[in-house]
Amino acid sequence: MNLQLQLFVRILIIAVICIVSSAWYVLYQTNPPALNEAEATASKIEHQIRQQLLQMFQRYDFTQSFPDIGLWNKIDSVPGSCTQFLSRTQSRQRSLCNATQASNKDYPIWFGHFYTQFFNPGVEVKRSVNFNAIKYGTILVTLNVDIETARAWHNLQAALGVLVVTIMALCCLVFITINRMLKPAKDIVAGLEKMRAGDLAIRLPDFDIAEWKRTSHAINALVSTQQNIMAENKQLSIKIMNTQEEEHRYISRELHDEFGQCLAGINAVTTSASQSAKNTCPEIVEELNSIRHITGHMMSALRDLLTRLRPAELDELGLETSLKQLIKSWNQRSSGKTHYSLSLVGNMDELAETLAVHIYRIVQECLTNIAKHASAEHAEVNINIQEENALSLIIKDDGVADLSAFSSSNGLGLLGIHERVAALGGDLSLDTQINGGLVVTIILPMTQKAEA
């Protein structure tokens, strides 16, 4: 449940509590006024009876009716109530019920039981009539249960009607206010989702509410810091990879100039010694041929090692020639099992030296993975320099799409390729073809030329 709905539910619960409390208060306040009126009626009738007794004793006239209920009609009593005079003797019993007593129960039955159970609407008021220290009787005023219950029901309906309309209007206003107050939270969540997706250039706006404004400023500052750190890491990664390539270049040159020349010298001396030994010492010719064979194998292994470290064609002839030579060597190694092809669109000489090296390394690793794991019959390398200052590199095959071949953490597996592409500010995606095989798509920006 989201925050907006939680707040609305809690406000609704509070509103229900307020309605129940108000209803109870209305019902509680309905009965006391009727009780006060009944007490006032009893007091007035008591006063009339005392006045009548006083006149009777002053005039010594005891022939008139006592008590005179005709005087009671002039008193405004509670509607539907009954007034009784209970004398000590049964001969002077008097009773008067209000003529406005309702006969119909215009309230629900359940409400009648509830109101009677908790509020006792049929209350009785008693007053003793004393004159000259003699008790003549008791005045009893009884409220009508049905009329009091109906009055309570009508009061409750009127109060609840106003209260429900007020609370509904208040809930609507609160809902609208909460919605506007929480709108910045939706914007913040949307911005954080974009940031999590890698869009660190986005910034949250300044909000009118102080708390949301501080939140957006803190998030923007955090993203700016993260963006700077990632930019520094990107530059550091490029420097590390370029330093690594320079180290490879240095090692390959040293191996070529020193170790390669030594092997070439050994091979030349062995050949010369073999020619001389044919006439003078033919029994060592076979050993000399073995040395020459071992030297040739070492030179072949050295040549492969130099190609892996830093191909000479890449520095001397450029990327295009190096890639063609790489494709040619893979076709020779496969012995017809896999056919490798190369498609180049654009001038590869426009690429910066560092970018050219990284492209060569990516192609080299992908072809190695195809040869080891794909069991493909055809493999294609397509490089296209687009007009939007971007370069697309697509490598695909028709073999078995095995993504685990790129999971090697050492060397240049998927991790190494991904690090190179990320450091160059590009995008990498892997996909499988319908007829089998893997498609590696890499988009690289051409800004490396200016940076180089």
Side-chain angles (χ1 to χ4, degrees):
M1 185 181 296
N2 57 25
L3 178 59
Q4 181 177 352
L5 187 57
Q6 287 186 13
L7 291 176
F8 183 75
V9 169
R10 293 185 182 184
I11 292 174
L12 190 60
I13 293 174
I14 294 174
V16 172
I17 294 175
C18 292
I19 290 175
V20 174
S21 302
S22 301
W24 188 273
Y25 180 77
V26 169
L27 295 178
Y28 178 77
Q29 291 296 324
T30 299
N31 202 30
L35 180 61
N36 294 334
E37 292 180 11
E39 291 179 350
T41 300
S43 298
K44 292 178 182 179
I45 292 175
E46 179 191 3
H47 179 70
Q48 286 184 350
I49 293 175
R50 292 172 62 88
Q51 289 294 328
Q52 186 179 6
L53 288 173
L54 179 61
Q55 292 177 1
M56 291 172 59
F57 278 97
Q58 288 179 349
R59 298 174 182 176
Y60 296 100
D61 183 8
F62 300 99
T63 60
Q64 59 180 334
S65 177
F66 176 80
D68 187 2
I69 62 175
L71 299 175
W72 296 1
N73 292 326
K74 299 179 182 180
I75 300 174
D76 295 331
S77 60
V78 180
S81 62
C82 288
T83 304
Q84 296 176 318
F85 178 76
L86 306 177
S87 62
R88 292 182 300 174
T89 62
Q90 298 295 326
S91 59
R92 294 184 179 276
Q93 298 284 357
R94 298 289 188 272
S95 177
L96 176 64
C97 292
N98 198 313
T100 59
Q101 179 176 354
S103 59
N104 296 327
K105 298 181 180 181
D106 54 347
Y107 56 86
I109 298 177
W110 63 266
F111 179 78
H113 292 299
F114 172 80
Y115 190 69
T116 304
Q117 180 71 25
F118 290 96
F119 296 96
N120 189 23
V123 67
E124 295 180 343
V125 177
K126 294 182 180 181
R127 286 293 178 89
S128 297
V129 179
N130 299 315
F131 186 78
N132 293 333
I134 299 174
K135 182 178 181 181
Y136 285 85
T138 303
I139 299 172
L140 179 63
V141 179
T142 306
L143 299 180
N144 186 278
V145 176
D146 293 336
I147 291 180
E148 294 302 318
T149 305
R151 182 168 63 170
W153 173 250
H154 295 157
N155 292 342
L156 180 63
Q157 284 183 317
L160 288 184
V162 175
L163 191 61
V164 168
V165 172
T166 303
I167 289 179
M168 288 181 62
L170 182 61
C171 288
C172 292
L173 294 176
V174 170
F175 182 80
I176 295 173
T177 303
I178 291 176
N179 189 38
R180 294 189 61 184
M181 295 286 287
L182 295 181
K183 186 179 181 300
K186 298 179 180 178
D187 298 336
I188 291 175
V189 172
L192 291 176
E193 291 291 337
K194 293 180 180 179
M195 295 173 187
R196 187 181 65 176
D199 186 8
L200 297 182
I202 190 172
R203 293 294 182 272
L204 297 177
D206 286 338
F207 301 107
D208 297 332
I209 303 175
E211 289 76 6
W212 292 126
K213 181 182 292 187
R214 290 197 296 269
T215 302
S216 64
H217 288 174
I219 293 176
N220 290 337
L222 179 62
V223 174
S224 298
T225 303
Q226 186 69 19
Q227 192 175 19
N228 294 333
I229 293 175
M230 292 186 66
E232 293 175 357
N233 291 340
K234 175 183 173 181
Q235 295 178 359
L236 181 60
S237 298
I238 294 177
K239 291 181 179 179
I240 291 175
M241 288 187 293
N242 291 338
T243 303
Q244 185 180 20
E245 291 298 333
E246 290 298 326
E247 186 68 21
H248 288 173
R249 177 189 295 178
Y250 172 77
I251 294 174
S252 64
R253 286 180 179 177
E254 290 296 322
L255 289 176
H256 181 272
D257 294 341
E258 297 295 334
F259 194 64
Q261 295 298 329
C262 292
L263 290 177
I266 293 173
N267 191 35
V269 171
T270 304
T271 302
S272 177
S274 178
Q275 294 295 331
S276 301
K278 288 181 180 180
N279 300 323
T280 59
C281 189
E283 60 274 8
I284 66 171
V285 172
E286 185 176 355
E287 285 80 1
L288 293 175
N289 290 334
S290 298
I291 295 174
R292 187 170 57 196
H293 177 72
I294 295 172
T295 304
H297 177 73
M298 293 179 64
M299 292 183 67
S300 177
L302 178 62
R303 190 178 301 110
D304 293 338
L305 179 60
L306 294 177
T307 302
R308 293 290 297 176
L309 285 175
R310 183 79 174 193
E313 297 87 354
L314 191 60
D315 295 325
E316 298 174 359
L317 302 178
L319 177 62
E320 182 174 352
T321 304
S322 300
L323 290 176
K324 291 180 179 179
Q325 183 63 34
L326 180 63
I327 296 296
K328 181 180 178 181
S329 64
W330 276 110
N331 282 321
Q332 292 175 351
R333 293 179 188 178
S334 64
S335 300
K337 294 181 180 179
T338 304
H339 179 263
Y340 298 89
S341 61
L342 175 66
S343 175
L344 302 176
V345 178
N347 188 2
M348 300 295 122
D349 294 335
E350 293 181 355
L351 302 178
E353 179 184 358
T354 54
L355 180 59
V357 172
H358 294 307
I359 293 174
Y360 182 86
R361 292 302 189 190
I362 294 173
V363 174
Q364 189 180 42
E365 181 61 30
C366 289
L367 294 181
T368 301
N369 290 329
I370 291 174
K372 289 182 178 180
H373 308 285
S375 300
E377 295 182 359
H378 300 280
E380 299 179 12
V381 178
N382 300 307
I383 301 178
N384 184 7
I385 298 178
Q386 303 172 358
E387 296 180 357
E388 295 81 4
N389 293 327
L391 180 144
S392 66
L393 171 59
I394 301 175
I395 304 173
K396 57 184 178 180
D397 62 82
D398 59 355
V400 180
D402 186 10
L403 296 180
S404 62
F406 293 86
S407 61
S408 176
S409 60
N410 52 0
L412 286 179
L414 178 60
L415 180 61
I417 296 176
H418 180 74
E419 288 180 351
R420 285 184 183 272
V421 174
L424 297 173
D427 297 322
L428 181 146
S429 62
L430 300 177
D431 196 7
T432 56
Q433 301 187 85
I434 299 177
N435 56 351
L438 184 68
V439 179
V440 180
T441 303
I442 298 173
I443 305 296
L444 297 175
M446 298 289 290
T447 54
Q448 282 78 16
K449 182 176 180 179
E451 292 177 358

